[in-house]
Amino acid sequence: PLERDGLIGFIDKVTRMGEGGRRVLDPEFRQSLEAFLAPLAPDLEEPIIRDAAGILLERLEEELSGLAELEEVDPRFITCLVVKI
C-alpha cells in the first residue's frame, strides 16, 4: 500500500491540471502503463493489453479528475489504489 505522502507524490507525477480545472493523466504515464503491463502477460496480444491499460487509465483519471488541491486528498475516497491510512 501507498502511504498518504506517497499517494500525493504519485498523483503529482502522473497528472496535471487540464482545461476546465480538471486533473488529467500525463500522456507519458499513459504510454508507460502499456509498456509496464506488456511483460506481465507476454502471451496476450497487443490490442488486449492496450484495452486493459485503457480501462485502468480511465478509472484512475475518473477518480483523480476532481482533485484540485493535492494536500486535501482523502485516500479513503480513491478506490482504485490501495493506500495505507
Side-chain angles (χ1 to χ4, degrees), residues 6 8 30 43 56 64 66 72 80-82:
I8 290 171
R30 289 179 171 280
D43 296 337
L56 293 170
L64 302 179
E72 297 176 7
C80 62
L81 298 171
V82 177

Side-chain angles (χ1 to χ4, degrees), residues 18-74:
E19 294 179 22
R22 309 277 302 164
R23 193 165 291 279
V24 295
L25 293 173
D26 184 76
E28 188 175 316
F29 175 70
R30 289 179 171 280
Q31 293 171 347
S32 65
L33 183 62
E34 279 186 38
F36 174 79
L37 293 176
L40 297 177
D43 296 337
L44 291 179
E45 296 177 11
E46 187 177 329
I48 294 172
I49 293 170
R50 194 176 315 116
D51 287 347
I55 290 166
L56 293 170
L57 291 165
E58 185 178 308
R59 171 84 187 280
L60 185 59
E61 191 167 67
E62 179 182 308
E63 291 211 15
L64 302 179
S65 66
L67 298 175
E69 298 295 327
L70 291 183
E71 295 304 318
E72 297 176 7
V73 168
D74 187 339

